[in-house]
Amino acid sequence: MIKKEEMDNTTIKIDATQADLSDPLRAYRDRFELPEGVIYLDGNSLGALPKSVRQRVAKTIAEEWGEQLIRSWNTADWVHLPQRVGEKIARLIGAGERTVVAADSTSINLFKVLSAALDLNQERRKIVSERDNFPTDLYIAEGVAKQIGKGHGLVLADTPKDIPDMLDEDVAVLMLTHVNYRNGYRHDMAALTRAAHDKGILVIWDLAHTAGAMPIDLTGTQADFAIGCGYKYLNGGPGAPAFLYVNPRHQGGFRQPLSGWFGHRAPFDFDSVYSPSSSIEQYLCGTPPVLAMVAMDEAMSLWDDVDMEAVRAKSIGLCDFFIQEVGEFAEQFGLELVTPRNSGQRGSQVSYSCDNGYAIMQALIARGVIGDFRAPDIIRFGMTPLYLSFAEVAQAAAILKEIVATRAWDQPEYQVRGAVT
């Protein structure tokens, strides 16, 4: 059910100055390193650097690695970083104790939990997802299905509304990203999980564009598995460790295929035969990357006193405000809103389709407004409530208007695409 405050509020005029003055999260901005002259609207792709992370990583290098050397696996408890970071993430995603670990990448973690889910539902053959899911999820699903080689296959919905009718008795797993990476559409996690379970289908949720952007309740929705990355709204740094969630009812019920030594019940016994842990640790694999994990651990500490309901409320306000401001000129210059106006159906981003989207985004970046482009024609703006102000959103909209009105994007230097676009 959509909350009263989660509806189409884009017709309500928002005053940026007043909104910033009354913002209960405004103090968090000072905890981030934000370059002068930059309006950062790409935190849904790479979060900003928390100031304390720089200090913590430097201390780890100089003291724990530099002085304590290998002893820090014990003295600094490096060995339990995946569990510690996992517990901090669990609070933000509505998960219980010992149900989340930080490890590996989103793709690798999806391989683990999808393999587990298919093994738990061996009599069924289909994986249902949607065509507009993030490609790595689809690639991993294709690979897992081929590896099993027993008639398993990936079936894709063309639109979200098609999904419920596709949930039949031959579906083993429903695999969805909670918030769509292109348009920001947000699935109803509770309703779809319930519909799948009613048909005996296990559910995997990708929380890449959810964790740190809004409160969710994996325990309450009875999700089976979830994965997510650490470098977007969680601000863990480029390529930060990802995370995975396993419902307690499935822990110990399957031997996940990446049987590395950190998933052993007693890794430092150095047994020659693999004996998996019966708890969430089974979903670990190799030695954790300590420096990346330390950065993630410190970034997660920033969330200790954050009210996720306040985060969501500000996210809604920032998105509504941007839609309101851009709406004054969007039609005139061919910008089509593809993000739902209804806040109950979107995440924490606003996306527009348009001709020359890549060039427009490069022109914005040159003016200090950093968003991103997603092929073939999407310009995307991430709203990160901990460090973004309403005044910045107003300024970004004004600069966008100037660029499209003057065709400032129509320059040769804005047409050449880099390796990452």
Side-chain angles (χ1 to χ4, degrees):
M1 179 179 292
I2 298 170
K3 296 180 181 179
K4 183 178 179 181
E5 66 272 18
E6 295 199 359
M7 54 185 68
D8 182 3
N9 293 322
T10 55
T11 57
I12 302 172
K13 296 294 285 185
I14 298 172
D15 179 85
T17 301
Q18 186 56 45
D20 284 334
L21 287 173
S22 60
D23 177 12
L25 301 174
R26 63 185 181 277
Y28 287 95
R29 181 182 174 88
D30 291 336
R31 301 190 191 184
F32 291 88
E33 295 192 7
L34 299 167
E36 285 290 329
V38 168
I39 299 173
Y40 194 56
L41 301 178
D42 209 8
N44 58 325
S45 190
L46 174 65
L49 170 63
K51 292 177 180 177
S52 62
V53 168
R54 181 191 294 273
Q55 300 158 2
R56 171 80 181 279
V57 172
K59 180 178 183 292
T60 298
I61 293 172
E63 298 178 15
E64 295 172 10
W65 181 14
E67 297 177 10
Q68 288 295 310
L69 297 168
I70 201 168
R71 291 172 291 181
S72 285
W73 284 104
N74 292 314
T75 58
D77 201 27
W78 287 351
V79 72
H80 291 122
L81 276 166
Q83 294 91 327
R84 289 209 308 277
V85 176
E87 291 299 313
K88 293 178 180 181
I89 295 171
R91 186 185 73 84
L92 300 187
I93 61 176
E97 293 182 2
R98 303 202 70 182
T99 61
V100 180
V101 286
D104 302 313
S105 67
T106 306
S107 299
I108 291 173
N109 287 337
L110 178 58
F111 177 84
K112 298 174 191 174
V113 300
L114 180 56
S115 298
L118 290 172
D119 189 80
L120 290 167
N121 240 353
Q122 291 186 24
E123 302 305 313
R124 300 177 178 219
R125 296 290 178 264
K126 291 193 293 190
I127 304 164
V128 169
S129 190
E130 56 184 333
R131 199 169 304 281
D132 203 27
N133 200 349
F134 192 72
T136 196
D137 290 17
L138 303 182
Y139 302 161
I140 291 292
E142 289 176 3
V144 171
K146 288 178 181 178
Q147 185 176 26
I148 293 173
K150 295 180 180 179
H152 287 76
L154 177 63
V155 182
L156 302 179
D158 290 322
T159 69
K161 67 181 181 181
D162 296 330
I163 294 171
D165 291 338
M166 298 172 67
L167 303 180
D168 60 36
E169 288 72 17
D170 196 36
V171 176
V173 178
L174 174 62
M175 180 191 76
L176 295 172
T177 297
H178 186 220
V179 174
N180 184 277
Y181 78 104
R182 291 182 193 272
N183 57 36
Y185 176 83
R186 184 178 106 186
H187 286 291
D188 187 330
M189 180 184 290
L192 282 171
T193 301
R194 185 166 55 249
H197 285 174
D198 287 346
K199 299 288 183 65
I201 300 166
L202 298 176
V203 184
I204 299 171
W205 288 102
D206 183 335
L207 306 179
H209 289 272
T210 304
M214 66 191 71
I216 49 176
D217 184 9
L218 290 178
T219 300
T221 58
Q222 301 183 49
D224 298 290
F225 302 92
I227 57 170
C229 63
Y231 51 81
K232 300 183 189 298
Y233 295 98
L234 297 181
N235 311 300
F243 65 88
L244 64 84
Y245 161 85
V246 180
N247 190 300
R249 68 176 175 270
H250 299 311
Q251 292 185 22
F254 168 72
R255 180 166 162 169
Q256 69 99 351
L258 297 181
S259 48
W261 74 306
F262 262 65
H264 194 280
R265 61 172 180 78
F268 291 95
D269 283 357
F270 300 106
D271 291 340
S272 59
V273 177
Y274 185 71
S275 178
S277 168
S278 61
S279 64
I280 189 66
E281 281 80 12
Q282 186 201 140
Y283 287 81
L284 300 176
C285 186
T287 306
V290 170
L291 296 182
M293 198 70 75
V294 163
M296 185 72 189
D297 184 46
E298 185 61 33
M300 290 308 305
S301 295
L302 185 147
W303 293 90
D304 287 349
D305 57 353
V306 173
D307 179 355
M308 289 306 298
E309 294 294 343
V311 168
R312 180 57 180 162
K314 185 177 177 183
S315 165
I316 291 171
L318 289 168
C319 290
D320 285 344
F321 185 45
F322 192 69
I323 292 170
Q324 168 189 300
E325 295 295 291
V326 176
E328 295 181 0
F329 59 87
E331 184 176 358
Q332 180 183 356
F333 297 108
L335 302 177
E336 180 184 355
L337 179 68
V338 296
T339 299
R341 288 182 178 274
N342 186 325
S343 58
Q345 295 178 338
R346 70 166 181 249
S348 196
Q349 69 184 62
V350 179
S351 300
Y352 294 88
S353 66
C354 58
D355 294 335
N356 304 298
Y358 180 81
I360 290 169
M361 184 52 67
Q362 296 312 300
L364 279 166
I365 292 171
R367 290 286 303 275
V369 178
I370 301 179
D372 64 14
F373 171 80
R374 288 293 177 262
D377 61 356
I378 299 291
I379 54 174
R380 191 176 70 159
F381 304 91
M383 303 296 161
T384 45
L386 292 190
Y387 53 81
L388 186 63
S389 70
F390 286 85
E392 288 177 304
V393 168
Q395 188 178 356
I399 293 171
L400 174 59
K401 180 180 181 180
E402 181 183 339
I403 286 170
V404 295
T406 64
R407 294 179 62 88
W409 54 267
D410 194 9
Q411 301 294 328
E413 62 267 29
Y414 299 146
Q415 314 298 322
V416 180
R417 301 195 181 190
V420 179
T421 57

